[in-house]
Amino acid sequence: MNIAFAGLKHSHIFVLYNLALQNKNFSVIGAFEDDPEYVINAEKNGVTCNYKTFDELLNDTNVDVVALGGYFGERGSMAIKALNAGKHVIADKPLCTSQKELKKIKKAAEQSGKKVSCMFTMRFDEPKISAAKKLFESGALGEINNVIFGGQHPLQYGRRPMWYFKDGMHGGVINDIAIHAIDILSYAFGLKVQTINTARCWNKYASEQPLFKDSGQIMLTAQNGAGIMGDVSYSIPDGVEFTYPNYWRFQIFGTLGVLDFSLAGADSVYYLKGDPTPHILPAGETLNYLDDFYNLINGESNVMLTPDEVFEATETTLKIQKASK
């Protein structure tokens, strides 16, 4: 299956590019980027932009799949155009920055019969997530009633692309970061958001960009009544960054036990009712989301991430982002 890349403005897309190069199910046949600065950056990352326009890429009948990694604010329109051109779409997250765009993406996917996926990498790449899912499904934690998560990131001002701070390009810190948590809470613990109690975004760390709201917090109620609180601010100090041991921390409280883990920390630890002994949760397995996307396109039944799940997580997160205003 032939895949071409459109929009090379975020480093995540190069992870997908290299993964596609190594995947036996896909052949990388080209790329497009409209900004000369990012064309040069792409070349430094081993990517040659052989298409001069996005239309040229879409008109290439050899292209089966379009991978999107441009400005967050341009991905929605590009996804719609690609689907209408009869291409499958896989995008870095977020897929889009407005509910209006998402509605058009869903319609284009339905009318074209083409598949849409997103780089919800935590489902596949994190063995602690797969282990947590199995622990919950075993019934050991009981029914989940309280969740606290921290998805704080470093701001990396001056190193992060400057388009982040331009109006209309980013789409909000909640939509950028919290979408991972919204997806994981549904996937691993069966928690789907019913009520957005409150959401707030504000500026504190990006003092050079006072209009950029770099801090975000949310409070939600799940369909089963569970309470969810989260922080997705760009608040980890530069220099600490991804070595911070509580990077992506989840505290999951159930009626029979509690699970505490972070993706950058040491062991996942859980406690069960009536037993004060801490239990170490062994790491689970890692999977390949490109293999999963290939199975989705080919109609296989063993698919871990469906378009409906992508759309649901995206819509929920967009609603939370909107509530923060």
Side-chain angles (χ1 to χ4, degrees):
M1 190 163 291
N2 294 327
I3 184 170
F5 287 72
L8 304 167
K9 297 181 176 76
H10 195 291
S11 60
H12 288 171
I13 200 64
F14 299 116
V15 176
L16 179 58
Y17 183 88
N18 289 322
L19 195 64
L21 287 177
Q22 300 165 16
N23 194 294
K24 68 181 187 302
N25 297 315
F26 292 91
S27 294
V28 177
I29 63 170
F32 161 73
E33 171 53 51
D34 61 356
D35 188 320
E37 175 186 351
Y38 289 100
V39 171
I40 294 172
N41 184 60
E43 291 173 348
K44 291 178 180 177
N45 281 276
V47 181
T48 300
C49 296
N50 57 318
Y51 295 103
K52 294 181 179 179
T53 67
F54 189 39
D55 285 340
E56 182 186 354
L57 185 155
L58 295 181
N59 289 331
D60 186 347
T61 56
N62 292 314
V63 175
D64 302 305
V65 177
V66 177
L68 300 175
Y71 302 132
F72 298 167
E74 71 180 353
R75 292 178 185 174
S77 61
M78 294 179 78
I80 295 164
K81 200 168 182 178
L83 290 164
N84 287 334
K87 314 297 184 183
H88 302 287
V89 170
I90 183 169
D92 175 31
K93 59 83 207 163
L95 174 63
C96 60
T97 57
S98 76
Q99 294 180 61
K100 184 177 181 180
E101 284 179 326
L102 179 61
K103 186 176 181 180
K104 290 181 179 180
I105 291 170
K106 292 166 71 173
K107 183 178 180 180
E110 181 179 357
Q111 290 179 340
S112 67
K114 299 302 177 180
K115 304 302 182 183
V116 178
S117 192
C118 205
M119 290 174 66
F120 288 171
T121 53
M122 283 166 58
R123 277 194 182 217
F124 298 90
D125 295 350
E126 298 295 344
K128 290 181 179 179
I129 297 293
S130 59
K133 177 178 171 65
K134 288 183 179 180
L135 180 68
F136 167 70
E137 291 176 342
S138 74
L141 301 178
E143 183 180 8
I144 306 303
N145 187 59
N146 314 85
V147 172
I148 301 172
F149 71 85
Q152 295 88 351
H153 279 58
L155 180 63
Q156 297 177 316
Y157 189 79
R159 290 180 290 152
R160 191 176 290 279
M162 291 307 292
W163 59 257
Y164 259 63
F165 309 102
K166 295 181 181 179
D167 187 40
M169 297 295 186
H170 183 255
V173 65
I174 291 173
N175 193 43
D176 179 12
I177 300 177
I179 190 167
H180 276 304
I182 297 302
D183 175 58
I184 290 304
L185 292 178
S186 174
Y187 167 69
F189 304 105
L191 298 175
K192 297 181 182 296
V193 176
Q194 177 173 278
T195 305
I196 302 168
N197 299 308
T198 190
R200 179 192 175 210
C201 289
W202 71 102
N203 171 273
K204 188 64 178 179
Y205 299 99
S207 56
E208 300 91 340
Q209 303 287 341
L211 298 181
F212 182 73
K213 297 180 179 180
D214 52 42
S215 300
Q217 294 181 335
I218 62 179
M219 184 176 181
L220 315 169
T221 302
Q223 289 178 355
N224 73 334
I228 302 168
M229 295 190 295
D231 186 301
V232 289
S233 304
Y234 287 108
S235 54
I236 297 180
D238 286 352
V240 179
E241 303 181 7
F242 300 107
T243 63
Y244 178 58
N246 283 328
Y247 174 70
W248 272 120
R249 184 183 184 187
F250 290 86
Q251 294 174 282
I252 311 294
F253 299 87
T255 54
L256 298 178
V258 56
L259 170 65
D260 193 331
F261 67 96
S262 63
L263 299 187
D267 295 318
S268 300
V269 179
Y270 65 98
Y271 293 82
L272 300 178
K273 188 175 182 179
D275 181 3
T277 306
H279 300 270
I280 305 300
L281 181 64
E285 59 184 348
T286 59
L287 299 169
N288 187 308
Y289 59 84
L290 259 186
D291 286 342
D292 191 68
F293 186 45
Y294 182 80
N295 291 338
L296 171 69
I297 292 172
N298 284 282
E300 302 290 339
S301 59
N302 59 332
V303 173
M304 283 182 58
L305 179 62
T306 68
D308 284 344
E309 289 175 304
V310 171
F311 296 149
E312 181 180 22
T314 301
E315 183 173 16
T316 298
T317 312
L318 284 169
K319 287 180 178 179
I320 301 169
Q321 181 67 62
K322 184 177 181 180
S324 73
K325 298 179 181 179

